[in-house]
């Protein structure tokens, strides 16, 4: 960090400290911003002052520290209740998409059955849910299940089928699956009756409907109307086929969503079990990094799941808060400290109440003594005296620090046994307080979600419902473990591929690979790029870009010579790490050019290989040596896959750089060639107008806000519009 960055950081921290002192003791949402003023995190709090202060005091995990290191300012919005804060947080996250928030970005959507809100309603299967007053039922495990259910309902209830009203009746009318409102009058009562029946069916009343159809079938058979009886029998069989395929997991027929989550290595997995009519119809898991408090981020995910989603279950099962929630982080003590140091991450001062204190006694806060051996005994100060202070670090000052333990005990406690009893009582009290705090937090979450969503929210503690939450949590944990195992497996494969590649090429152990690629369009804006792979993984900090300086026209060989020369002259001059293998994009010519520069100009003997592409611009074969020869390499091997990834990455990097360079040169060639336009004015023009095309379309007076006079403005417009007079030819 240079001097200017440090000064800017100090100025921003001074502003933050001043704003922290003004935070209110009210619920609300806070928005953290980086140096550009971009919102990078949105959170909610019961007490804004405590929660926001906690980011700038105490200890944090590495991921939270990364978030805090980017904060340069914050804003806050006061709400009248925790429920309003919950809804506001969800809306702000959807609006700003903060980098460090949990974002519901999963593309996977489930099918729903929808009854449209129209004068002549329709039944359809959809994956999109809108607030259009329609009725949604689901989700269904897959599109086939939803379509089968809709097909059954179409046979039972002849609602309108066509999206737009046709001029005359269609086939659906003739087969008895539509009442043809396009040609015949269908009353609102008839439509409402069918909608109610469909709603009853999809809400678990298919058993009753099946009984009614059975009674009608028997009545039709008694009347010798066997064709109608057969039709009703087919309906009953279809109901059995569609509704009984899935395994029943509970005795009741309640629609519920069951959540579970797990965290590890800075990642969170959330597993949702969708149960409809007592049946487990779908499971879904999402994995993402998280940066804040694990339970708060989990609840943020839950609120986003149900935001703008009218197809809600009757019940939601959530896991309880973790035991560590609301307790201070534990930091490892120094060797000379008998007990660990407790650092509160909350902004509320830590209070310790002696066991003998009466119920009306004022709580007393422990103010830690100095760490030196001859420190004064720890004083007992009323907590009200430090109500506005930062979080207190509580260090037990026992004999190992040169302090008499009786200094922190009640006056009557003078023996080790009594001290131990006090410690045990404090521990039990802390555990009980933590449990009570968790229950209070869960109650607030339950009340907020129930008020917002109008569904029952439960934190199951025992029995079958607790087992369902545990199963969701176990599935989330397994998803995380699988992710890390796959990553580890891929890493092992990459390392093994690098080792095998060295053996195949005869170069010995390969750790560092540097790959080059050139890019130009008919020789214009020639550039080159280098990527670095270490142990089979890209090291993006080491990537480099090169603007070709000495080569005119599309000369790939000379371009390779220049870039190799510039790269490894700098490596020698600055004593940088040498690669174990150099990979160039091309065949014999590029390999020969690179080897010539390395050996004959720089005196370096580094193995060089080339990757040749086929007619479809895909990696085809590996070449090495001088003269270069094809190295046999199986197309389905991990070694070939590694080389393919390297070539794709360096090509992507080079193409991106070339596009940026070409775009800049187009602007430069048009604006910088105008007398009186330098870099500063060029940037100001582009910022003000947005593009060169907009500048061309501007009027002379439009340049006045930029401090550009009428004469220069006319020169700019004439140059861009091609109206400048050309010199006569002699």
């Amino acid at each position: 960090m240079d001097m200017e960055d440090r000064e800017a950081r100090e100025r921003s921290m001074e502003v933050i400290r001043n704003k922290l002192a003004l935070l209110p003791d009210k619920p609300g949402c806070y928005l953290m911003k980086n140096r550009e003023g971009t919102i990078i995190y949105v959170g909610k709090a019961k007490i804004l002052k405590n929660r926001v202060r906690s980011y700038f005091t105490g200890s944090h995990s590495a991921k939270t520290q990364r978030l805090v290191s980017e904060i340069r300012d914050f804003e806050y919005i006061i709400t009248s209740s925790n429920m309003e804060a919950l809804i506001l947080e969800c809306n702000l996250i959807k609006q700003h998409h903060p980098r460090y928030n949990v974002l519901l970005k999963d593309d996977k959507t489930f099918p729903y059955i929808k009854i449209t809100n129209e004068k002549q309603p329709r039944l359809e299967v959809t994956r999109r849910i809108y607030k259009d007053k329609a009725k949604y039922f689901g989700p269904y495990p897959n599109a086939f299940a939803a379509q089968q259910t809709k097909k059954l309902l179409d046979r039972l209830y002849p609602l309108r089928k066509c999206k737009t009203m046709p001029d005359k009746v269609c086939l659906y009318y003739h087969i008895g699956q539509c009442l043809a409102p396009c040609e015949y009058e269908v009353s609102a009562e008839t439509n409402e009756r069918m909608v109610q029946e469909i709603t009853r069916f999809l809400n678990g009343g298919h058993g009753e409907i099946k009984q009614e159809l059975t009674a009608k079938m028997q009545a039709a058979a008694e009347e010798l109307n066997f064709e109608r009886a057969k039709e009703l029998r087919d309906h009953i069989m279809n109901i059995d086929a569609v509704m009984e395929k899935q395994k029943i997991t509970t005795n009741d027929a309640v629609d519920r969503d069951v959540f579970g989550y797990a965290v590890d290595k800075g990642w969170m997995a959330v597993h949702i079990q969708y149960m409809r009519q007592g049946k487990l119809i779908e499971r879904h898991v999402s994995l993402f990094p998280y940066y804040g408090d694990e339970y708060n981020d989990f609840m943020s995910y839950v609120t986003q799941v149900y935001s703008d989603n009218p197809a809600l279950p009757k019940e939601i099962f959530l896991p309880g808060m973790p035991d560590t929630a609301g307790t201070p982080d534990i930091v490892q003590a120094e060797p000379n400290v008998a007990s660990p140091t407790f650092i509160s991450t909350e902004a509320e001062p830590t209070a310790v109440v002696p066991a003998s204190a009466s119920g009306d006694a004022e709580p007393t806060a422990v103010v830690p003594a100095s760490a030196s051996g001859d420190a004064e005994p720890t004083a007992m100060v009323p907590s009200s005296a430090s109500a506005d202070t930062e979080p207190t670090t509580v260090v037990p000052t026992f004999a190992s620090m040169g302090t008499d333990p009786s200094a922190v005990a009640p006056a009557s406690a003078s023996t080790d046994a009594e001290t131990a009893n006090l410690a045990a009582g404090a521990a039990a009290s802390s555990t009980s307080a933590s449990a009570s705090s968790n229950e209070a937090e869960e109650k607030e979450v339950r009340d907020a979600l129930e008020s917002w969503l109008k569904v029952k929210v439960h934190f199951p503690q025992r029995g079958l419902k607790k087992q369902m939450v545990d199963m969701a949590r176990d599935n989330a944990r397994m998803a995380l473990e699988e992710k890390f195992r796959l990553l580890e497996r891929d890493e092992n494969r990459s390392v093994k591929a690098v080792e095998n590649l060295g053996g195949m090429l005869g170069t010995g152990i390969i750790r560092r690979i540097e790959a080059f690629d050139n890019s130009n369009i008919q020789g214009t804006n020639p550039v080159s790029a280098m990527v670095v792979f270490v142990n089979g993984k890209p090291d993006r900090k080491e990537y480099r870009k090169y603007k070709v300086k000495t080569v005119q026209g599309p000369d790939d060989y000379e371009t390779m010579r220049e870039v190799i020369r510039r790269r490894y002259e700098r490596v020698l001059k600055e004593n940088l790490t040498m690669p174990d293998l150099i990979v160039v994009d091309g065949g014999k010519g590029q390999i020969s050019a690179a080897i010539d520069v390395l050996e004959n100009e720089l005196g370096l003997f580094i193995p060089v290989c080339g990757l040749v592409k086929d007619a479809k611009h895909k990696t085809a074969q590996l070449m090495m040596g001088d003269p270069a020869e094809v190295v046999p390499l199986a197309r389905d091997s991990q070694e070939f896959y590694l080389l393919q990834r390297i070539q794709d990455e360096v090509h992507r990097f080079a193409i991106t750089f070339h596009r940026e360079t070409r775009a800049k040169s187009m602007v430069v060639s048009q604006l910088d060639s105008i007398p009186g336009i330098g870099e500063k004015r060029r940037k100001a023009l582009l910022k003000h107008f947005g593009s060169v095309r907009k500048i061309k379309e501007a009027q002379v007076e439009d340049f006045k806000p930029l401090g550009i006079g009428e004469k220069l403005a006319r020169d700019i417009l004439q140059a861009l519009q091609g109206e400048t007079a050309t010199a006569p030819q002699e």
Side-chain angles (χ1 to χ4, degrees):
M1 184 182 292
D2 58 25
M3 185 64 69
E4 292 184 3
D5 288 342
R6 264 198 297 271
E7 291 176 356
R9 168 76 172 168
E10 289 173 3
R11 286 196 300 269
S12 65
M13 289 308 297
E14 182 63 27
V15 172
I16 288 174
R17 280 191 289 270
N18 292 335
K19 294 177 76 171
L20 288 174
L22 303 176
L23 284 166
D25 295 326
K26 294 182 178 179
C29 290
Y30 53 91
L31 301 89
M32 300 299 191
K33 299 182 176 181
N34 62 9
R35 69 174 74 185
E36 287 83 24
T38 304
I39 295 172
I40 58 175
Y41 188 77
V42 173
K44 65 180 183 300
K46 292 185 296 182
I47 302 176
L48 281 168
K49 179 176 73 174
N50 294 350
R51 183 59 184 154
V52 178
R53 279 183 175 182
S54 70
Y55 284 93
F56 305 98
T57 57
S59 63
H60 304 286
S61 65
K63 283 215 162 191
T64 305
Q65 189 59 44
R66 179 180 169 187
L67 161 64
V68 174
S69 68
E70 293 191 30
I71 298 174
R72 295 294 182 272
D73 194 8
F74 69 86
E75 295 179 2
Y76 60 88
I77 303 171
I78 297 173
T79 60
S80 60
S81 66
N82 291 332
M83 185 192 73
E84 287 186 9
L86 184 76
I87 299 172
L88 178 60
E89 180 197 35
C90 183
N91 292 335
L92 289 173
I93 290 173
K94 289 168 58 183
Q95 178 183 350
H96 298 289
H97 297 92
R99 175 183 175 187
Y100 289 105
N101 273 101
V102 169
L103 299 177
L104 190 61
K105 296 189 278 188
D106 205 327
D107 293 333
K108 182 175 176 60
T109 55
F110 300 116
Y112 292 81
I113 290 180
K114 172 183 178 181
I115 306 175
T116 62
N117 181 38
E118 300 172 277
K119 183 178 179 181
Q120 299 294 334
R122 290 184 304 108
L123 200 64
E124 62 181 31
V125 174
T126 181
R127 290 182 183 269
R128 293 181 177 272
I129 298 177
Y130 303 98
K131 288 188 174 180
D132 53 4
K133 297 185 179 179
K135 294 185 177 182
Y136 293 85
F137 303 90
Y140 285 82
N142 51 61
F144 178 75
Q147 291 288 357
Q148 286 293 101
T149 305
K150 177 183 177 296
K151 193 174 179 181
L152 169 63
L153 293 171
D154 284 338
R155 294 193 187 110
L156 294 173
Y157 307 104
L159 289 179
R160 175 168 69 98
K161 299 294 182 293
C162 303
K163 285 188 177 181
T164 57
M165 289 285 195
D167 296 331
K168 57 183 179 180
V169 296
C170 61
L171 179 62
Y172 285 110
Y173 172 76
H174 295 292
I175 63 175
Q177 293 189 17
C178 181
L179 296 179
C182 55
E183 190 165 325
Y184 304 106
E185 183 68 26
V186 179
S187 66
E189 291 78 10
T190 302
N191 284 326
E192 180 62 23
R193 179 181 55 78
M194 287 192 290
V195 168
Q196 292 296 333
E197 287 292 308
I198 294 172
T199 302
R200 183 162 66 109
F201 183 97
L202 294 174
N203 281 334
H206 59 275
E208 299 174 9
I209 293 173
K210 180 180 169 183
Q211 292 177 358
E212 293 173 4
L213 292 176
T214 302
K216 290 180 180 179
M217 178 187 68
Q218 293 172 348
E222 290 176 359
E223 295 171 2
L224 304 181
N225 189 351
F226 299 116
E227 185 175 345
R228 174 61 176 163
K230 179 182 180 298
E231 182 183 349
L232 292 168
R233 185 203 64 185
D234 291 342
H235 288 336
I236 295 169
M237 292 174 64
N238 287 328
I239 292 175
D240 290 337
V242 171
M243 304 306 297
E244 301 300 329
K245 283 182 179 178
Q246 300 167 48
K247 181 182 177 182
I248 296 177
T249 55
T250 57
N251 292 328
D252 55 12
V254 178
D255 292 355
R256 59 171 62 96
D257 293 346
V258 183
F259 285 82
Y261 78 96
V263 294
D264 191 14
K265 299 181 179 68
W267 281 76
M268 177 180 291
V270 177
H271 186 91
I272 312 174
Q273 296 178 171
Y274 295 95
M275 303 187 68
R276 296 298 179 265
Q277 301 173 32
K279 302 176 180 68
L280 180 61
I281 67 167
E282 183 62 61
R283 301 182 184 187
H284 181 56
V285 65
S286 296
L287 295 94
F288 41 81
Y290 77 100
Y291 297 89
D293 174 79
E294 66 175 67
Y295 201 77
N296 285 340
D297 281 1
F298 165 67
M299 289 309 305
S300 176
Y301 181 90
V302 173
T303 57
Q304 290 180 68
V305 168
Y306 294 115
S307 175
D308 298 328
N309 185 355
L312 298 173
K314 300 296 183 184
E315 295 180 344
I316 299 173
F317 288 177
L318 297 175
M321 297 187 68
D323 293 338
T324 55
T327 62
D329 295 338
I330 298 178
V331 179
Q332 202 66 24
E334 297 295 328
N336 64 335
V337 181
S339 300
T341 303
F342 290 90
I343 298 179
S344 174
T345 58
E346 296 295 327
E348 298 170 357
T350 303
V352 176
V353 183
S356 60
S358 63
D360 298 327
E362 184 176 35
T364 54
V366 177
V367 179
S370 169
S372 62
D374 54 4
E376 290 295 322
T378 302
M380 306 295 288
V381 182
S383 60
S384 59
S386 59
D388 295 327
T389 61
E390 299 299 329
T392 302
T393 302
V394 183
V395 182
T397 52
F398 293 148
S400 60
M401 297 182 66
T403 305
D404 187 356
S406 64
V408 293
S412 59
S414 58
T415 65
D416 292 343
E418 290 175 331
T419 302
N421 289 338
L422 177 62
S429 175
S430 174
T431 303
S432 176
S434 175
S436 300
S437 175
N438 285 0
E439 291 177 2
E441 291 279 351
E442 290 170 3
K443 184 178 185 304
E444 290 184 2
V445 170
R446 180 189 300 113
D447 293 345
L449 287 177
E450 288 182 349
S451 300
W452 179 28
L453 302 176
K454 304 297 187 288
V455 300
K456 295 295 293 181
V457 178
H458 300 282
F459 293 88
Q461 302 297 320
R462 62 185 66 83
L464 177 61
K465 295 179 179 179
K466 177 67 162 56
Q467 292 174 17
M468 293 162 63
V469 173
D470 289 343
M471 183 172 69
R473 188 174 55 194
D474 291 343
N475 277 277
R477 187 180 300 110
M478 288 298 296
L480 269 186
E481 292 175 359
E482 181 181 353
K483 173 185 174 62
F484 295 130
R485 282 199 302 268
L486 288 173
L487 288 175
E488 183 179 353
R489 186 179 181 187
D490 288 344
E491 185 173 350
N492 292 337
R493 284 182 173 180
S494 296
V495 172
K496 191 68 175 176
V498 172
E499 293 175 355
N500 294 342
L501 185 63
M504 292 177 179
L505 299 178
T507 60
I509 298 175
I510 294 177
R511 298 294 183 203
R512 182 184 179 93
I513 299 174
E514 295 185 357
F516 296 84
D517 189 16
N518 305 325
S519 182
N520 65 80
I521 296 179
Q522 296 181 344
T524 61
N525 306 115
V527 298
S528 188
M530 180 196 76
V531 301
V532 178
F533 276 63
V534 178
N535 291 328
K537 297 172 65 177
D539 186 356
R540 291 181 173 82
K541 302 189 302 294
E542 298 285 339
Y543 286 15
R544 294 293 181 268
K545 303 173 182 177
Y546 298 93
K547 285 187 178 179
V548 179
K549 300 177 180 178
T550 62
V551 180
Q552 299 296 325
D555 191 335
D556 207 33
Y557 300 155
E558 286 303 315
T559 300
M560 186 62 68
R561 287 176 182 274
E562 177 188 330
V563 173
I564 293 291
R565 184 183 300 115
R566 287 168 58 185
R567 167 61 182 168
Y568 294 104
E569 279 180 348
R570 184 174 183 181
V571 168
L572 289 170
K573 182 179 178 180
E574 299 182 10
N575 197 26
L576 303 177
T577 304
M578 287 283 183
D580 300 309
L581 178 67
I582 295 173
V583 178
V584 298
D585 185 69
K588 294 181 179 181
Q590 287 84 352
I591 296 173
S592 179
I595 291 176
D596 182 43
V597 172
L598 288 169
E599 296 183 358
N600 300 328
E601 295 185 25
L602 304 177
L604 296 175
F605 295 89
I606 303 173
V608 180
C609 68
L611 295 173
V612 183
K613 295 178 179 176
D614 58 19
K616 296 182 179 179
H617 212 65
K618 299 293 184 182
T619 307
Q621 57 187 11
L622 173 67
M623 300 189 74
M624 191 171 181
D626 192 15
E629 297 180 353
V630 175
V631 178
L633 200 61
R635 296 289 293 267
D636 59 350
S637 65
Q638 287 296 320
E639 295 75 26
F640 186 86
Y641 174 62
L642 172 64
L643 291 172
Q644 192 177 47
R645 283 197 297 133
I646 292 174
Q647 188 172 41
D648 290 345
E649 177 68 358
V650 70
H651 182 68
R652 177 200 65 79
F653 194 50
I655 286 292
T656 303
F657 181 42
H658 181 254
R659 286 172 180 163
E660 294 171 356
T661 306
R662 190 171 74 249
K664 289 179 182 177
S665 69
M666 291 172 65
V667 175
V668 169
S669 63
Q670 288 181 293
L671 291 178
D672 285 6
S673 60
I674 302 173
I677 299 295
E679 182 180 359
K680 187 174 180 181
R681 271 186 170 159
R682 173 168 57 83
K683 290 182 178 178
L685 283 165
L686 290 173
K687 183 177 181 181
H688 181 74
F689 290 101
S691 68
V692 175
R693 183 177 62 82
K694 294 284 183 65
I695 300 175
K696 288 181 182 180
E697 298 170 354
Q699 302 298 321
V700 172
E701 56 270 17
D702 295 335
F703 292 86
K704 289 183 179 179
L706 298 173
I708 295 177
E710 184 176 338
K711 182 179 182 303
L712 181 56
R714 291 188 184 281
D715 291 343
I716 294 171
L717 292 174
Q718 286 177 350
L720 294 179
Q721 294 168 0
E723 295 174 2
T724 53
T726 58
Q729 302 255 342
E730 293 185 356

